[in-house]
Structure formats: C-alpha cells, structure tokens
Amino acid sequence: ELQEGIISKHQSNQQDFVVFQRHGCAAQDFIRSPRSLFLGPVVVFCAMHGEQYIRRLFPTCAPRLMLLIYQLLDSALPNIQNLKYHEEPWVYACVSQGFAMLIFEMLVLGIWLRSGSAMVIGFAVGQLLARAANAILAPSDQAIAVIDGELRTWCDKVAF
C-alpha cells in the first residue's frame, strides 16, 4: 500500500525504486538543514561575548553574577562536585559552562521547533557527559580528602 506523503514511488529508465519520506517532522528537517551546523557555534559565540559584555557593562557586580551562575550550575550538576578539587580551576569551569551552553542551545532549538523534547534530551545528554567528565577528570578520593582536611584546618592567623 502506498500512503500519501509517506511513501512515493519513483521510476527511472533502468529500475523502479521506492523512497520513504516523512513529511512534517520539524526536528529531522532542521537537523538535515545546513542551518543546524551554525547553531552550535552561534550559541558559543553569543555566550562568550555575552559574558564579556556583562563584565564590561557591570564591572562591580559581574563577579557576583558569575558566582550566582556557578551556584545555579552547582544545583543543576551536583555530580561534578569532585571537579572543583582539580588542580586546574578551568576544568570545572569548562565542564559546567559546556553544560550550560548545551542547555542554552537545546532551549533555542526547542523554541525554534516549538518542542520541549529538545530541552529534555539536552538535559539528559548533559547529565551523562557531566558524569563522564567527573569520572575521567576528577582527582582521587584520597586527594579530595587531603584538600578537604587542609581547608577545614586553615585559618587566616599564622600559628606558631
């Protein structure tokens, strides 16, 4: 049976072939389009320049705003807390900001396609990537215990 709009039969000089097409699926149409290749870099560009613009526009409250953003990311990503103990602070920043950009990209895609499924899928994939980053990049439990012990015994007065 041939259903209108789903299966169409094409004839050529040499053979008959059937093409399966799904019409009206906005997500698949968008993913196949060349515009989808530009969405990721555009979101990264907007995020980077948006942060710089906020830092220039509000130089006194920009650091507090970044702390609030990191607290929000901490609540969304409780499974990467061990990355805060990494010897390089940019590791935690890259993973958490990458998660935020993925969520922002999926939000833009969801608004564009008028579908909430992109946001849900983006959040799930972001959680999986964050767990993988935590498992691969986090320092050992012994190193975390040593750092925690040092921070708990630290004070601002020098003891003799």
Side-chain angles (χ1 to χ4, degrees), residues 28 40 50 57 75 77-78 86 96 115 134 141 145 149 156:
Q28 288 181 359
L57 192 61
S75 64
L77 287 170
H86 197 279
S96 62
S115 171
N134 190 47
D141 291 337
D156 57 349

Side-chain angles (χ1 to χ4, degrees), residues 78-84 95 129-139:
N79 50 359
I80 65 166
Q81 296 300 321
N82 292 346
L83 287 180
K84 289 182 177 181
V95 171
L129 291 174
R131 287 178 193 242
N134 190 47
I136 294 170
L137 300 172

Side-chain angles (χ1 to χ4, degrees), residues 70-124:
Y70 279 126
Q71 287 175 353
L72 179 66
L73 289 172
D74 284 346
S75 64
L77 287 170
N79 50 359
I80 65 166
Q81 296 300 321
N82 292 346
L83 287 180
K84 289 182 177 181
Y85 295 98
H86 197 279
E87 62 185 338
E88 299 293 334
W90 58 265
V91 172
Y92 174 78
C94 284
V95 171
S96 62
Q97 288 176 1
F99 175 79
M101 284 192 291
L102 176 69
I103 293 298
F104 182 65
E105 181 178 358
M106 291 297 125
L107 177 68
V108 169
L109 183 61
I111 290 170
W112 188 341
L113 298 176
R114 295 182 192 100
S115 171
S117 62
M119 185 70 175
V120 172
I121 291 171
F123 185 78

Side-chain angles (χ1 to χ4, degrees), residues 21-70:
Q21 294 179 338
R22 185 170 179 181
H23 296 286
C25 184
Q28 288 181 359
D29 293 340
F30 177 77
I31 290 171
R32 289 185 189 129
S33 73
R35 294 181 301 196
S36 68
L37 297 176
F38 295 109
L39 183 61
V42 166
V43 168
V44 170
F45 180 80
C46 290
M48 287 177 14
H49 289 287
E51 180 183 347
Q52 290 175 1
Y53 182 71
I54 289 173
R55 287 184 185 270
R56 288 185 192 142
L57 192 61
F58 306 108
T60 56
C61 49
R64 281 193 172 165
L65 179 63
M66 288 305 295
L67 286 175
L68 289 174
I69 290 172
Y70 279 126

